[in-house]
Amino acid sequence: MRTVGTPGGDARVTWHPAEDPRLVLALGHGAGGGIEARDLQALAAALPPLGVTVALVEQPWRVAGRKLAPAPKTLDAGWRAVWPALAEPGPPVIAGGRSAGARVACRTAPELGAYAVLALSFPLHPPGRPEKSRAAELLGAGVPTLVVQGGNDPFGKPAEFPDAGGGRDAGTKGGGAFALCEVPGADHAFAVAKSAAVSQERALAIITANVAEWAAKLA
C-alpha cells in the first residue's frame, strides 16, 4: 500500500503485484463505494498470476472518509497526480475503473498515455435519462478499450452502447473502437439475483476471464 499526495489530499494505491509483470492495470472505484467492490477485488485476485499487476486506487475523498465524491474535474486531477506512481514500475499501464472511475480513465487516457482502458460498468447515462449520453467520453479514450457491462445496468444496458465504428474491435491501438462484454443479468454493481441464469460466482468469472483474454491480446 502506498500513499500518494494529490492537489485534493492523499490518495492511496494498493498493489497486487505479478511476479514478472508485463502490464499494470490501474483501477479506480466508483462514486458510491471503494476498492472493496466485487469486480475490483475479483480482478485483483485473478490477474497477477497471469502476469498483470493490479493497482487499486482510492481517490482522496474516499481516503479522507467523506461520503460524497467531488466534481469530475477534481477526480481527474487526483488520477493525474497518482499516474506517475502507477507508471513507475515500468510496464505499460492500462487505465481502468468502475462507474465514475471508468469515466475518469476514459477522459484522461489520451493525455496520460494510457496503453488501454478498461471500463467496468461505464455509466453511459443517468438512470432513466438516455438522452444524457456520455458516449463521447468513452469514444474519446483513443486507445483499445474494453467495456464490461451488466445486462441489467440502469446506467446503460449493453444494447444501448453505440457502435464504435471499428466493429467494436479493441485489439489495435488508436481510434475510438471498443470491445463490449456483457455480464448476463447483472446490475451496475455486477450483482445478480438468485433467480438469474448465472450465479454470482459465474458472473465474476465472466468478468475476470474476458479481461484476462483482452489483456493477453494487448501485451
Side-chain angles (χ1 to χ4, degrees), residues 173-197:
K173 298 284 284 183
F178 63 91
L180 182 62
C181 166
E182 179 175 350
V183 183
D187 64 12
H188 193 61
F190 293 120
V192 295
K194 291 182 179 180
S195 59

Side-chain angles (χ1 to χ4, degrees), residues 75-172:
L75 297 176
D76 291 357
W79 187 256
R80 291 188 190 99
V82 172
W83 191 261
L86 303 173
E88 185 177 333
V93 183
I94 300 171
R98 65 166 288 101
S99 195
R103 294 183 66 193
V104 172
C106 289
R107 287 193 299 260
T108 60
E111 66 182 277
L112 295 176
Y115 190 67
V117 166
L118 173 61
L120 303 162
S121 295
F122 186 84
L124 186 63
H125 57 72
R129 300 292 302 277
E131 74 279 5
K132 299 287 186 180
S133 176
R134 298 164 180 146
E137 289 183 354
L138 175 63
L139 299 177
V143 293
T145 300
L146 175 64
V147 177
V148 183
Q149 203 76 2
N152 289 331
D153 192 334
F155 288 84
K157 294 179 173 59
E160 296 180 72
F161 279 75
D163 188 332
R168 294 186 177 177
D169 176 10
T172 57

Side-chain angles (χ1 to χ4, degrees), residues 56-74:
L56 301 182
V57 180
E58 294 176 84
Q59 284 270 3
W61 69 272
R62 185 76 182 181
V63 174
R66 294 191 290 272
K67 295 183 178 180
L68 296 177
K73 65 179 181 180
T74 302

